[in-house]
Structure formats: C-alpha cells, structure tokens
C-alpha cells in the first residue's frame, strides 16, 4: 500500500507558527513519527507540502498514476476556500482523509466550513500532530475494507 500525505500552505512553518494553536512540533518531526507508524504497518509513505493551490491540485490529480492508493490531506487554509481542491479530490476518485491539527470548530467562524470534507472518506481534527496517525490508520482501514 502506498499513501500520499499532502500538506497545504503555511504548514512548513509548524513549530514556529502560532504555537499556542498548532503546538511546537515541526512538520518534519510529525512526519518522522508518521513514517515510523507507516513502516510498522508495511505501508509506503510519501510526504509533500506546497503553499500553492494549483500545485496541490496537480499532486491530487497525479496521485493515481504515481501509484498511490489514498491521500491523507491537510489543505490548511484552502480547506475553507478551494473549490479547485474539492473538485480535484472528487475527480481523482482517490480515497482521501482530511486532517487538521486544530479543532477548527472551536475557532473563527470562517474556519468552521470545509469545502473539502464532503468529498473525503472522513475527517480528523483537534489532536495536533497525532491526528496524522489517526488519519493514516483510518485511511488504511478504509482501503483494507474496500479490498476485502
Ligand atoms: C489547519 C486549520 C486551518 O483553518 C488553517 O488555515 C491551517 C491549519 C489545521 O491543521 O488546524 O493552516 O488546517
């Protein structure tokens, strides 16, 4: 099984960026833990981050031909604005799990709507970096149930 973990804008700044909201863990350290979890489950993991909407769309579009079985996606601010990313997920037919470090429902009202969650298998939020482990496990369980 091969999974793509895709991070949207500003997530490269984790650790420095609003630590009261997102914690002090860096993206690198979150991904290091996730790669370890994936390896223990015999899953191949590829992690990518982009600050650009079109680049995220292209990663989603190309995921199938690159051999990925599913995507763990934190669209970051594009969650709340991007019809293009929503359409890319839907159009690709790739099983996708949305993840957010913070609990967006406990924050500003403009964060309480996700344009992307409705075309995802499910959503995890509010558990900080550990949420990526929950999202990965959920996606793997979903893929295994589909192929059973
Ligand atoms: C985020 C939540 C978004 O509202 C915000 O724009 C982010 C990070 C999260 O992981 O909590 O950049 O996706």
């Amino acid at each position: 099984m091969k999974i793509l973990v895709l991070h949207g804008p500003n997530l490269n700044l984790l650790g420095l960026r609003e630590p009261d909201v997102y914690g002090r863990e860096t993206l690198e350290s979150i991904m290091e833990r996730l790669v370890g979890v994936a390896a223990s489950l015999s899953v191949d993991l590829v992690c990518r981050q982009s600050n650009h909407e079109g680049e995220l769309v292209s990663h989603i579009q190309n995921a199938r031909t690159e051999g990925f079985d599913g995507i763990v996606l934190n669209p970051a601010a594009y969650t709340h604005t991007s019809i293009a990313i929503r359409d890319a997920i839907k159009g690709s037919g790739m099983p996708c799990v949305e993840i957010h470090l913070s609990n967006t429902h406990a924050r500003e009202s403009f964060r309480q709507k996700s344009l992307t969650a409705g075309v995802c298998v499910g959503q995890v939020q509010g558990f900080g970096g550990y949420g990526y482990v929950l999202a990965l496990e959920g996606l793997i369980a979903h893929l295994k149930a589909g192929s059973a």
Side-chain angles (χ1 to χ4, degrees):
M1 206 179 272
K2 193 175 160 191
I3 305 291
L4 173 64
V5 184
L6 201 50
H7 306 278
N10 299 306
L11 294 172
N12 52 316
L13 297 179
L14 284 180
L16 298 171
R17 172 193 184 203
E18 299 179 78
D20 48 317
V21 177
Y22 299 115
R24 297 226 172 253
E25 213 180 350
T26 62
L27 187 61
E28 198 180 14
S29 138
I30 293 170
M31 286 307 100
E32 229 173 77
R33 180 174 56 230
L34 199 65
V35 165
V37 171
S40 74
L41 298 169
S42 304
V43 167
D44 279 348
L45 211 67
V46 174
C47 306
R48 293 179 186 152
Q49 188 273 333
S50 176
N51 291 326
H52 306 279
E53 186 176 22
E55 215 165 271
L56 293 164
V57 167
S58 295
H59 285 314
I60 295 165
Q61 283 185 3
N62 297 335
R64 191 172 295 285
T65 50
E66 289 183 64
F68 290 106
D69 298 295
I71 303 176
V72 170
L73 173 67
N74 186 344
Y78 288 134
T79 307
H80 318 297
T81 62
S82 182
I83 298 171
I85 291 178
R86 179 193 169 95
D87 286 352
I89 298 167
K90 186 126 199 247
S92 73
M94 287 293 286
C96 201
V97 172
E98 181 169 312
I99 187 264
H100 299 285
L101 294 119
S102 63
N103 176 0
T104 61
H105 296 291
R107 301 181 62 194
E108 303 96 323
S109 58
F110 62 82
R111 293 187 205 276
Q112 288 167 25
K113 174 141 189 76
S114 169
L115 295 185
T116 43
V119 291
C120 289
V121 172
Q123 191 197 50
V124 174
Q125 56 171 304
F127 296 101
Y130 184 67
Y132 282 92
V133 175
L134 300 174
L136 178 67
E137 287 176 348
L139 178 58
I140 292 169
H142 172 83
L143 290 168
K144 283 189 175 159
S147 65

